[in-house]
């Protein structure tokens, strides 16, 4: 059986500068192993599968796989999959809002100048205990005193957020991959006032089968909820991510009606059909 297929570049600031997601349409006939095998084969940060919704409030259901495991939620796959669904002729039940069903629940994606998803509630939040902070600092090859602040910002992939003194400290990192021991670490630092972007972000998640993720919507959402609540950032702002991987990701964050919205560019780079099986 053949399935329509798209690869969508998400959060880019020009051609091939964001984070690609592989999107498989009409995937209801695929089983778990086929989905996981295709995600391993693409070796992208995430591969997604569009299915018929089981919740009557949803426009479609989405399953999200990294090369290593299935995720309940992820940000750039949410935007890329909504883009692919709309481009294939999908019509939202509600004007201006696509409702995605995933393992984390219903996620609202706003259309308009750019697609933006409403940040889901954090599954784990709050301060990081001292023992965990020692492990996190070691994984980043830092001293604990180099960390300005840290908090759990887990909305599905397990993120812990680390704030460093500035953006240059973020770009200078050379992690110790062997020391991660299951940690998924997002690191952020503020750019100088007057810069065209306000925040520099990097995402390290070797436990998911990805050493460094190019541009990461779920992490950006969690960081936004944490950093705006603590007064370190105000919205709207633009975050940069991906420079270490020669990308130029740009993530637009705003607040609307009490919700944090995370958005960016979405562009189809490849479209065709996929055949899984003999």
């Amino acid at each position: 059986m053949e399935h329509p297929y798209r690869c969508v570049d998400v959060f880019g600031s020009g051609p091939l500068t964001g984070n690609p997601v592989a999107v498989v349409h009409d995937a209801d006939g695929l089983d778990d192993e086929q989905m996981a095998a295709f995600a391993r084969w693409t070796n992208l940060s995430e591969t997604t599968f569009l299915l018929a919704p089981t919740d009557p409030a949803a426009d479609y259901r989405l399953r999200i796989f990294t090369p290593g495991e299935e995720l309940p939620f992820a940000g750039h796959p949410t935007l890329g999959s909504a883009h692919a669904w709309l481009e294939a002729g999908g019509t939202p039940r509600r004007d201006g809002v696509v409702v995605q069903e995933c393992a984390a629940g219903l996620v609202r994606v706003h259309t308009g100048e750019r697609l933006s998803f409403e940040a889901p509630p954090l599954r784990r939040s709050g301060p990081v205990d001292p023992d965990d902070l020692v492990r996190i600092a070691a994984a980043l090859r830092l001293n604990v005193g180099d960390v300005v602040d840290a908090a759990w910002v887990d909305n599905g992939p397990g993120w812990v957020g680390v704030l460093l003194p500035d953006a240059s400290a973020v770009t200078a990192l050379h992690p110790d991959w062997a020391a991660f021991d299951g940690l998924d670490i997002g690191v952020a630092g503020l750019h100088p006032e007057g810069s065209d972007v306000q925040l520099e972000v990097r995402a390290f998640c070797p436990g998911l089968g990805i050493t460094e993720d190019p541009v990461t919507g779920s992490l950006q959402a969690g960081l936004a909820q944490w950093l705006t609540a603590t007064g370190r950032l105000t919205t709207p702002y633009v975050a940069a991510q991906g420079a270490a991987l020669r990308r130029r990701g740009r993530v637009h964050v705003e607040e609307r009606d009490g919700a944090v919205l995370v958005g960016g560019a979405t562009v189809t780079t490849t479209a065709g059909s996929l055949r899984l099986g003999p």
Side-chain angles (χ1 to χ4, degrees), residues 10-11 19 46 60 62 64 72-83 86 96-102 104-122 153-157 159 213 215-225 235 237 241 250-256 258-266:
V10 182
F11 293 130
N19 196 359
E46 282 97 0
Y60 60 82
L62 193 70
I64 305 167
F73 167 77
H76 102 273
T78 291
L79 296 186
S81 300
H83 170 96
L86 289 166
V97 178
V98 176
V99 180
Q100 171 185 290
E101 176 187 354
C102 58
L106 297 181
V107 178
R108 291 158 53 91
V109 180
H110 295 257
T111 63
E113 179 184 358
R114 64 181 68 89
L115 294 180
S116 302
F117 67 84
E118 293 184 12
L122 295 178
V153 291
D154 177 12
N155 49 23
W159 295 114
D213 193 39
V215 201
T216 317
S218 60
L219 172 61
Q220 295 275 0
L223 290 174
Q225 289 165 302
T235 59
Y237 69 83
Q241 190 178 348
R250 295 294 184 267
V251 180
H252 296 257
V253 178
E254 62 176 303
E255 290 186 77
R256 190 186 306 169
V260 171
L261 269 64
V262 178
T266 52

Side-chain angles (χ1 to χ4, degrees), residues 28-112:
D28 296 88
L30 300 178
D31 61 31
D32 292 3
E33 181 49 39
Q34 287 174 307
M35 293 182 187
F38 185 58
R40 291 191 297 270
W41 183 82
T42 68
N43 202 36
L44 296 175
S45 298
E46 282 97 0
T47 298
T48 67
F49 300 86
L50 289 162
L51 306 100
T54 60
D55 189 314
D59 291 303
Y60 60 82
R61 184 163 64 97
L62 193 70
R63 295 185 67 179
I64 305 167
F65 288 78
T66 74
E69 63 182 74
E70 184 174 4
L71 296 178
F73 167 77
H76 102 273
T78 291
L79 296 186
S81 300
H83 170 96
W85 182 80
L86 289 166
E87 192 173 71
T91 303
R93 288 175 169 81
R94 178 177 174 181
D95 186 41
V97 178
V98 176
V99 180
Q100 171 185 290
E101 176 187 354
C102 58
L106 297 181
V107 178
R108 291 158 53 91
V109 180
H110 295 257
T111 63

